[in-house]
Amino acid sequence: MRPSRDLRTAHFAAAAALTFILAALPAHGATYWTVPAVLKSFFASSKKVGYRKVVLGDGEAQELGKKLGAPVKREWVVYVAESDGKIDGYAIKDEEKGMHEPIDFAVQFSTAGAVERIEILEYREAYGDEVRGDRFRAQFRGKTAGDPITAGKDIDIVSGASISSRSVALGVKRDALVLQLALKRGGL
């Protein structure tokens, strides 16, 4: 027995809709760095890299959230590189939502809290990964918590990756503020 024409039409429409939905989903995702690999690259000459947990109080998290215009989590891990009892620098691994998916990145800071380097660890969107480019990432070098670190202001937006540009800039600004707060408290 052959299915009715209406049933075949419905089946075809359902298959077409499923194909459209699957085609619209991001089919892209790439891991460029692991946390251990990026820390080794950031601190190649350091004798050891450890970490310290930083917990923000409710008021601190709210204050940072107001500065950023976005909520801030309370618990952070700050990586600390050392050689012969002297601190060589800091790093924070973070993520920020791109258009649909999170962008994982790591920021290397000097002992004074200035950005030395950023790396995209994992990029999951179908497009916009131009934020991995040297030209975009180099704009952050030397920035501190006192700088705007805002896409479209002191960070150029990458054409075709405007949301990713804004997301990474927001994340780097947040990390700079968290590190500044942790350094002011002492204990890093």
Side-chain angles (χ1 to χ4, degrees):
M1 181 169 173
R2 203 169 162 193
S4 72
R5 180 178 203 140
D6 289 341
L7 187 58
R8 286 187 308 224
T9 303
H11 177 71
F12 177 76
L18 182 60
T19 301
F20 176 77
I21 290 168
L22 291 175
L25 291 174
H28 183 262
T31 300
Y32 303 103
W33 293 91
T34 63
V35 172
V38 81
L39 291 174
K40 187 174 182 175
S41 178
F42 281 172
F43 305 114
S45 62
S46 295
K47 299 233 170 140
K48 78 175 192 174
V49 178
Y51 68 92
R52 308 245 170 54
K53 288 187 179 184
V54 174
V55 179
L56 304 180
D58 289 335
E60 293 169 324
Q62 287 175 356
E63 184 181 327
L64 292 184
K66 283 180 187 175
K67 285 182 182 180
L68 296 167
V72 174
K73 67 182 183 177
R74 292 189 58 223
E75 294 186 20
W76 295 85
V77 173
V78 177
Y79 295 94
V80 182
E82 298 178 64
S83 297
D84 303 321
K86 179 180 165 260
I87 294 177
D88 300 325
Y90 306 98
I92 296 177
K93 184 264 182 200
D94 200 356
E95 73 175 39
E96 183 61 39
K97 187 175 183 222
M99 181 178 279
H100 303 288
E101 301 290 333
I103 302 166
D104 294 2
F105 58 94
V107 184
Q108 177 187 12
F109 293 95
S110 70
T111 56
V115 174
E116 292 191 340
R117 184 172 145 201
I118 73 163
E119 291 293 345
I120 305 299
L121 306 179
E122 189 166 354
Y123 193 87
R124 298 170 183 89
E125 301 283 358
Y127 48 85
D129 66 345
E130 294 86 356
V131 294
R132 290 185 54 242
D134 291 338
R135 185 171 170 262
F136 177 74
R137 293 180 301 110
Q139 298 178 88
F140 294 93
R141 205 168 295 128
K143 302 283 186 188
T144 67
D147 292 307
I149 313 180
T150 303
K153 196 169 193 174
D154 62 332
I155 302 295
D156 291 335
I157 296 173
V158 176
S159 179
S162 57
I163 292 172
S164 296
S165 299
R166 286 183 181 93
S167 296
V168 172
L170 174 64
V172 173
K173 176 67 174 187
R174 178 179 54 233
D175 294 345
L177 288 167
V178 167
L179 181 65
Q180 178 187 52
L181 182 62
L183 290 171
K184 280 184 181 178
R185 285 183 182 172
L188 280 184

